[in-house]
């Protein structure tokens, strides 16, 4: 692999042992994937920050890096953790877990990471078309490639951390245009409403199941709203391994990518398949937790929810409602009075974490209703929590006292 002079200096240990070891890992992964050179990145985002998923070995690893004086060389953010660090009492998490989680986060902060704890790093720093990133959260990666036209592979948490310490990644995969061309065209039945987050999530779930990690071209009737695109890309990245979709009228440079790709195999998503995945009101009687915020809720989602609950007389009795968001969006929403409105209506607004990466979820609920295809995929697998995916319009009816 060709290395620049600065990269040679990093590798030789001139810039410290952690940098040398981090670059060595990136070079070895790059060589295994056929990369001819490394490329500078402008933003690293590290997943695997919850003590629930990384455990003691993960804590010892990041602590030892911080103790050795490792420092990030680019803007670097951190994925959600297992507890709301600013308000640990909001979820039922034991003190021992909370202490361990704090140590993980403190180690990252000592290395210079932003105190972000969110899967929506794009809401903190908007990626530019064509810029190179090293991100380790599949939903964020898919959105960066699909919506912003930035370039990132689906990195594992440790590799994204190595990129944070060196400011480099390897030039392969999604960093090369030839791998960003669509390989199949997905056509949607007319009755499928991609404007609804729950339906968009269900479509993403089906596309991921049908296509694995193939880059699809999604043909829709008009560009879906931002939050629906997030729901689609997160679900497609969970049930399959889709790192990028080309969405007509949305993805920067989509016409060029389609022209370069040439004729494509066609795959249908039928309304019947979506209906099978998204049941009707009959299953809702069983639901004791409604959840919104996977990926972490945007300001617009929080605003809309506060308005809905105000209009419909507040939260239905006997139902818990959790909304997870970033501390960044939470801060803005609190200033605007939105958090207070939601909390007055009985909604639990949670920062820094989500029901999938927190130990607070397991064994507590009969059935969880979510608009997120990604949550629907992971809740039973990681938390053994039965879940159902619902359209946003139905979730609003479910949570309201006056339906
Ligand atoms: Fe984010 Fe948790 Fe979903 S980390 S993408 S809210 S599984």
């Amino acid at each position: 692999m060709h290395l620049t002079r600065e990269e040679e200096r990093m590798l030789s240990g001139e810039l410290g042992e952690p940098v040398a070891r981090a670059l060595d890992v990136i070079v070895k992964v790059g060589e295994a994937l056929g990369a001819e050179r490394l490329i500078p990145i402008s933003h690293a985002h590290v997943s695997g920050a919850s003590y629930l998923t990384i455990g003691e070995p993960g804590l010892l690893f990041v602590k030892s890096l911080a103790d050795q004086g490792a420092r990030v060389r680019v803007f670097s953010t951190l994925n959600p953790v297992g507890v709301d660090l600013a308000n640990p009492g909001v979820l039922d998490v034991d003190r021992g877990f909370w202490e361990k989680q704090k140590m993980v986060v403190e180690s990252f902060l000592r290395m210079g990471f932003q105190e972000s704890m969110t899967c929506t790093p794009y809401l903190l720093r908007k990626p530019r078309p064509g810029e190179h990133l090293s991100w380790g959260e599949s939903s964020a990666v898919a959105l960066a490639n699909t919506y912003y036209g930035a370039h990132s592979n689906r990195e594992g948490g440790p590799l994204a951390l190595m990129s944070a310490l060196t400011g480099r990644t390897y030039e392969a995969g999604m960093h090369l245009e030839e791998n960003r061309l669509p390989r199949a065209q997905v056509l949607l039945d007319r009755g499928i409403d991609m404007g609804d987050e729950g339906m968009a999530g269900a479509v993403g779930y089906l596309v991921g199941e049908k296509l694995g990690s193939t880059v699809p071209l999604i043909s829709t009737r008009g560009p879906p709203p931002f939050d629906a695109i997030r729901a689609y890309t997160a679900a497609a990245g969970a049930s399959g391994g889709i790192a990028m979709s080309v969405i007509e009228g949305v993805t920067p440079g989509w016409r060029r990518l389609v022209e370069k790709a040439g004729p494509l195999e066609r795959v249908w998503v039928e309304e019947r398949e979506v209906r099978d995945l998204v049941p009707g009101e009959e299953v809702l009687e069983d639901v004791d937790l409604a959840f919104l915020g996977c990926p972490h809720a945007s300001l617009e989602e929080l605003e809309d929810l506060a308005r809905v609950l105000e209009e419909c007389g507040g939260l239905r009795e006997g139902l818990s409602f959790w909304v997870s968001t970033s501390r960044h969006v939470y801060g803005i929403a609190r200033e605007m009075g939105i958090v207070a409105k939601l909390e007055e209506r009985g909604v639990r607004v949670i920062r820094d974490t989500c029901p999938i990466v927190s130990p607070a979820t397991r064994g507590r609920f009969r059935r969880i209703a979510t608009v997120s295809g990604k949550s629907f995929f992971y809740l039973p697998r990681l938390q053994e929590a039965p879940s159902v995916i619902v359209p946003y319009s139905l979730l609003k009816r479910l949570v309201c006292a006056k339906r």
Side-chain angles (χ1 to χ4, degrees):
M1 179 181 297
H2 170 75
L3 296 181
T4 64
R5 229 184 100 52
E6 196 191 357
E7 289 156 1
E8 296 280 12
R9 286 179 58 220
M10 287 189 205
L11 205 54
S12 72
E14 246 183 81
L15 303 183
E17 194 51 29
V19 171
R21 274 189 283 133
L23 199 76
D24 186 46
V25 172
I26 296 172
V27 167
K28 288 206 167 87
V29 172
E31 281 175 345
L33 295 172
E36 290 175 4
R37 62 182 191 123
L38 301 180
I39 38 178
I41 56 155
S42 43
H43 182 170
H45 179 74
V46 172
S47 59
S50 169
Y51 185 71
L52 185 69
T53 50
I54 63 173
E56 202 61 16
L59 165 59
L60 293 176
F61 177 60
V62 294
K63 186 171 175 310
S64 93
L65 277 173
D67 289 345
Q68 291 169 62
R71 294 280 306 169
V72 302
R73 295 172 71 83
V74 290
F75 184 80
S76 298
T77 46
L78 199 57
N79 227 30
V81 295
V83 62
D84 181 336
L85 289 167
N87 183 13
V90 72
L91 292 178
D92 191 13
V93 175
D94 83 62
R95 178 106 203 151
F97 180 92
W98 179 49
E99 294 293 347
K100 294 285 189 183
Q101 185 63 78
K102 258 175 56 182
M103 288 164 75
V104 172
V105 172
E106 276 164 16
S107 301
F108 278 111
L109 297 185
R110 275 198 285 147
M111 286 189 259
F113 276 79
Q114 304 291 310
E115 212 170 354
S116 54
M117 283 79 79
T118 184
C119 45
T120 55
Y122 43 84
L123 297 180
L124 282 176
R125 180 190 172 279
K126 191 170 151 187
R128 292 186 302 274
E131 90 176 335
H132 296 281
L133 316 167
S134 179
W135 284 10
E137 158 57 45
S138 64
S139 68
V141 169
L143 196 75
N145 286 316
T146 302
Y147 182 80
Y148 293 103
H151 296 203
S152 178
N153 286 317
R154 285 164 58 108
E155 300 298 359
L159 206 57
L161 174 54
M162 303 298 117
S163 288
L165 301 181
T166 57
R168 297 291 191 282
T169 191
Y170 51 88
E171 190 181 45
M174 285 295 135
H175 296 285
L176 297 171
E177 176 139 316
E178 71 231 38
N179 299 319
R180 301 172 64 84
L181 305 181
R183 299 291 172 206
Q185 181 178 20
V186 174
L187 300 162
L188 307 176
D189 270 359
R190 289 196 72 77
I192 298 174
D193 176 12
M194 277 292 277
D196 181 292
E197 285 178 46
M199 300 296 264
V203 168
Y205 189 96
L206 290 166
V207 171
E209 273 193 333
K210 285 171 191 260
L211 293 180
S213 56
T214 302
V215 177
L217 166 66
I218 307 291
S219 304
T220 64
R221 297 183 308 283
F226 177 66
D227 284 321
I229 295 171
R230 296 198 306 143
Y232 161 80
T233 50
S239 65
I242 294 179
M244 173 173 179
S245 300
V246 176
I247 304 181
E248 282 181 11
V250 171
T251 304
W254 68 273
R255 281 185 205 282
R256 184 189 74 251
L257 296 170
V258 171
E259 273 167 28
K260 272 190 162 181
L264 297 172
E265 171 206 356
R266 291 181 160 195
V267 177
W268 277 95
V269 172
E270 296 173 23
E271 193 177 348
R272 173 191 56 78
E273 296 175 285
V274 176
R275 293 280 160 218
D276 286 349
L277 204 60
V278 180
E281 295 208 24
E282 66 284 355
V283 296
L284 298 184
E285 292 313 317
D286 235 13
V287 168
D288 50 356
L289 175 69
F291 166 54
L292 183 84
C294 175
H296 273 172
S298 64
L299 187 62
E300 291 70 27
E301 287 175 305
L302 296 182
E303 253 182 319
D304 186 51
L305 202 57
R307 186 186 47 75
V308 167
L309 286 170
E310 203 160 23
E311 285 170 7
C312 76
L315 191 60
R316 182 159 67 88
E317 217 182 299
L319 182 78
S320 300
F321 191 1
W322 292 3
V323 176
S324 58
T325 189
S326 65
R327 57 174 58 196
H328 168 69
V329 167
Y330 182 99
I332 302 170
R334 185 175 51 197
E335 288 293 308
M336 293 168 69
I338 296 168
V339 171
K341 276 189 194 165
L342 290 170
E343 287 177 346
E344 274 162 26
R345 304 282 174 183
V347 178
R348 238 183 249 198
V349 187
I350 302 158
R351 279 158 289 189
D352 301 341
T353 186
C354 78
I356 291 88
V357 297
S358 171
T361 314
R362 186 172 284 240
R364 287 191 55 189
F365 300 103
R366 276 196 316 275
R367 193 187 287 244
I368 301 174
T370 171
V371 294
S372 163
K374 178 170 178 175
S375 293
F376 174 68
F377 182 82
Y378 280 117
L379 278 168
R381 287 169 174 83
L382 298 182
Q383 298 283 6
E384 294 173 19
S387 69
V388 59
I389 182 167
V390 294
Y392 190 41
S393 50
L394 185 52
L395 186 91
K396 290 194 238 183
R397 281 216 299 286
L398 164 73
V399 298
C400 280
K402 288 182 258 158
R403 279 203 240 171

